[in-house]
DNA sequence: TTGTAGGCGTTATCAA
DNA sequence: TTGATAACGCCTACAA
């Protein structure tokens, strides 16, 4: 078993060693067509002896199909959401004989464009955006005539869209706090409408909308308890800073809420840092709910939060990609809307009256 | 500009449209050889008009070189360390015209084997392990005759090894705590020697070794303050559980340390959860130091920790990979040892006497 | 049941 | 300065 020849061995070498034609080797390899048992054995012996590894590049060229799907990630740190989606994509793709090419763009449209070009250059069979930065890049991918899936925050209405029912998630969180007796509930999150694109903005609209609707229904909506800011910037400090600063402001003014609904775990982490500094006990003095279920299990106290089906989104995106590749099983170009659920942990309790 | 033809256009189409031979198109594309200015213009016009995108698969086949490096990741969640390394690899590779194929193995040797096979099938030009699971898989990669780099925890002494001076890092952390007056310092981490492989075990040996040496030098080493456990299991709960349980035990016995040195931020997070539940103030009642600088900025209070040069490791791995690819600049197959540094944040303070 | 051969899209050599 | 052409390794009609 000479491993050092591995990458150099080709189907011709195997054929020679087995004393057959390359077509026969291919037939054995793909279990395809009639092959005599003795011939098969000879071929397998040669394959093992040479450590032959089929050349995916040559095969892709011949087949005009790469068996690769390209996955563009908006970012990988600090928010682990995208990484979880990536695992969903990889798990499903691997299980179905596909390789995933992952490209991290760190929120930069130009990097995303380069990623799309790289993918098209490698003739990937489908492209997944989690999440797209620029509609143009989505269009460019669509133009290649391959399935394109946009996950969580679409930028274009073309292709397949996987979204999440953030309204229901936020509504659940609010119902939980309200059932615990809270009325002065603060909101920390990105300002709805601050995304330049109407498709991508639904997340903020829904999360804040459910918050506002719930309190308006009770007649206790109070604008002074709303802190908008750059929730999803990529700088660690900014993301953490908004929740932190908002809480500090309220506490300094002596007008603190009895509960805070943060639109991400990252922001909730900042809230916990501020309450901790002020010597407030969570949840005794103030309850906190997050969104995403990413950092939540690692915070002190463990954070009650809204679970985002990240892995499920990734797996579904990969499935839809594969189903829609020409020749795939069922071409079901149907967009889907996923559900969240509330995860109860230790950061919420009855209002301390 | 008909985008819908993008992936179908080939160099022949471009050549026809420009009224030249394919060889001339290639010369223009690669800025290679003599081309008349007027010809170049004609070709560029045709390239733009057709939206021609070079087929990386065909080029790789012809060149017997893919311009892809394969990166095997031990895991991506919950520990963000690996993801940070991945970004370092991607950043460097992209900047030098290489694409990175990332394969996440989630701690599973069989998945790692499949990853190596996939990479070899795609004829990647180099393979990076961050970090390897099985020495056999490293050997298999080496057998292909391409550069192989092992990052942080090597499993084999072959190829290029990038390691970190964990001893110095842990020593710094201990010196910091000792300078603050702490003597009863606890340790939470994986048991040295529990890795079946001597190469990979140096991390635990060094982190714990520096802890033990520092306290022995002071004559205050106390085995009852050492909590060993499965620090690096992939289950969130287990990882967090060790730090959490250790602290609970000490507090229940009424023998609490005045400081804790946790061998990862993940474990430190568990320590903070336990102290928080017990109503202890960090750092007033007890100081905590972590390792890695991953979760540290998001915890409450922000965690003093030892910075691991994750991005730097990734970038260096990619650089060494490229340098050692046949035909690359300088073949410098030299292993390197990286330095850490202490990051002072809010979780440590003078011993409260 | 097995072999022959053309072509996937590029690159690079050799002529012209 | 440009063009024709033979590979790269594999797959797949089509023959045998």
């Amino acid at each position: 078993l000479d491993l050092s020849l591995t990458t150099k061995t080709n189907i011709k070498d195997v054929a020679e060693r087995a004393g057959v034609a390359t077509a026969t080797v291919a037939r054995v390899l793909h279990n395809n067509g009639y092959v005599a048992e003795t011939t098969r054995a000879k071929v397998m012996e040669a394959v093992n002896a040479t450590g032959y590894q089929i050349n995916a590049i040559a095969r892709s060229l011949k087949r005009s199909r790469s068996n690769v799907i390209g996955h563009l990630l908006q970012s990988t740190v600090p928010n682990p959401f995208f990484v979880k989606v990536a695992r969903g994509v990889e798990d499903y793709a691997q299980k179905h004989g596909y390789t995933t090419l992952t490209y991290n763009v760190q929120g930069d449209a130009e990097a995303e464009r380069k990623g799309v070009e790289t993918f098209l250059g490698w003739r990937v069979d489908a492209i997944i955006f989690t999440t797209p930065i620029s509609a143009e890049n989505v269009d460019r991918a669509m133009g290649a005539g391959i399935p394109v899936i946009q996950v969580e925050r679409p930028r274009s209405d073309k292709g397949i869209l996987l979204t999440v029912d953030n309204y229901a998630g936020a509504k659940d969180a609010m119902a939980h706090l309200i059932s615990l007796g809270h009325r002065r509930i603060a909101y920390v999150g990105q300002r709805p409408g601050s995304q330049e694109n109407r498709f991508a903005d639904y997340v903020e609209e829904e999360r804040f909308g459910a918050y506002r609707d719930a309190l308006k229904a009770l007649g206790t909506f109070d604008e002074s308890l709303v802190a908008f800011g750059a929730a999803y910037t990529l700088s660690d400090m900014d993301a953490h800073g908004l929740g932190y600063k908002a809480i500090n402001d309220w506490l300094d003014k002596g007008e603190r809420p009895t509960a805070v609904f943060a639109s991400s775990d990252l922001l909730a982490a900042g809230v916990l840092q501020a309450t901790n500094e002020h010597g407030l006990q969570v949840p005794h003095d103030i309850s906190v709910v997050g969104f995403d279920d990413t950092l939540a299990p690692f915070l002190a106290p463990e954070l009650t939060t809204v679970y985002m089906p990240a892995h499920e989104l990734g797996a579904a995106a990969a499935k839809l990609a594969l189903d829609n590749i020409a020749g795939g099983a069922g071409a079901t170009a149907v967009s889907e809307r996923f559900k969240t659920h509330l995860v109860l942990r230790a950061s919420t309790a009855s209002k301390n009256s």
Side-chain angles (χ1 to χ4, degrees), chain A:
Chain A
L1 175 59
D2 187 352
L3 289 173
S4 72
L5 292 178
T6 300
T7 53
K8 291 170 188 168
T9 307
N10 59 25
I11 199 172
K12 218 169 135 191
D13 299 330
V14 175
E16 273 173 23
R17 196 179 211 284
V20 299
T22 59
T24 302
V25 176
R27 273 188 283 262
V28 170
L29 255 32
H30 301 104
N31 219 13
N32 178 14
Y34 298 96
V35 182
E37 217 24 79
T38 53
T39 310
R40 175 185 308 279
K42 273 191 299 183
V43 170
M44 287 313 296
E45 186 278 331
V47 166
N48 292 327
T50 55
Y52 172 66
Q53 164 96 46
I54 199 165
N55 184 327
I57 292 173
R59 183 183 39 191
S60 298
L61 180 61
K62 173 63 191 166
R63 286 193 178 162
S64 303
R65 161 196 284 228
S66 61
N67 269 42
V68 171
I69 66 184
H71 190 191
L72 287 155
L73 286 187
Q74 160 154 140
S75 75
T76 51
V77 281
N79 192 335
F81 169 74
F82 304 102
V83 173
K84 290 186 166 189
V85 175
R87 285 197 41 207
V89 170
E90 287 163 22
D91 285 353
Y92 188 90
Q94 275 177 33
K95 220 166 281 172
H96 294 78
Y98 270 72
T99 301
T100 308
L101 203 47
T102 308
Y103 205 97
N104 177 27
V105 306
Q106 285 300 313
D108 176 23
E110 173 56 18
E112 185 181 55
R113 193 192 60 72
K114 275 185 63 179
V116 170
E117 296 301 331
T118 301
F119 285 167
L120 295 182
W122 278 98
R123 299 298 189 268
V124 298
D125 296 333
I127 294 185
I128 298 172
F129 288 84
T130 306
T131 69
I133 312 287
S134 135
E136 270 176 46
N137 293 331
V138 175
D139 290 346
R140 175 84 174 114
M142 293 287 304
I146 53 176
V148 172
I149 293 98
Q150 298 178 70
V151 176
E152 201 217 2
R153 290 174 187 261
R155 291 277 169 177
S156 155
D157 54 357
K158 293 175 204 145
I160 300 173
L161 280 54
L162 299 188
T163 54
V164 175
D165 189 348
N166 286 275
Y167 191 91
K171 192 179 166 186
D172 289 349
M174 290 302 293
H176 171 60
L177 289 174
I178 290 167
S179 78
L180 290 172
H182 296 283
R183 293 300 178 270
R184 283 184 60 75
I185 304 173
Y187 182 86
V188 180
Q190 190 171 20
R191 182 187 302 279
S194 55
Q195 302 260 346
E196 71 281 7
N197 183 292
R198 67 190 168 92
F199 292 106
D201 204 43
Y202 85 100
V203 174
E204 277 68 41
E205 274 170 13
E206 290 189 0
R207 293 186 189 178
F208 176 67
Y211 162 83
R212 186 198 49 214
D213 294 350
L215 291 186
K216 286 210 165 160
L218 292 174
T220 63
F221 178 69
D222 177 352
E223 268 192 41
S224 76
L225 291 181
V226 173
F228 286 133
Y232 297 94
T233 57
L234 293 170
S235 150
D236 299 358
M237 288 308 110
D238 282 2
H240 137 242
L242 173 61
Y244 181 85
K245 279 176 244 155
I247 274 288
N248 273 337
D249 280 358
W250 290 316
L251 295 177
D252 288 350
K253 287 191 228 147
E255 299 167 345
R256 79 175 151 92
T258 66
V260 180
F261 176 37
S263 76
S264 77
D265 282 5
L266 228 44
L267 290 170
V271 170
L272 292 178
Q273 290 179 326
T275 55
N276 179 70
E277 273 185 30
H278 285 268
L280 294 178
Q281 292 290 327
V282 175
H284 181 267
D285 301 319
I286 186 168
S287 288
V288 180
V289 177
F291 213 111
D292 289 346
D293 200 21
T294 48
L295 253 41
F298 306 108
L299 302 179
E302 289 190 60
L303 189 71
T304 293
T305 194
V306 180
Y307 172 81
M308 280 283 279
H311 194 278
E312 292 89 331
L313 282 166
K319 177 177 179 1
L320 284 164
L322 268 50
D323 287 352
N324 284 280
I325 289 168
T332 56
V334 179
S335 297
E336 291 180 30
R337 189 161 162 92
F338 284 72
K339 294 206 181 313
T340 64
H341 65 260
L342 190 65
V343 182
L344 296 179
R345 293 208 182 85
S347 67
T348 48
S350 294
K351 186 195 153 196
N352 190 2
S353 52

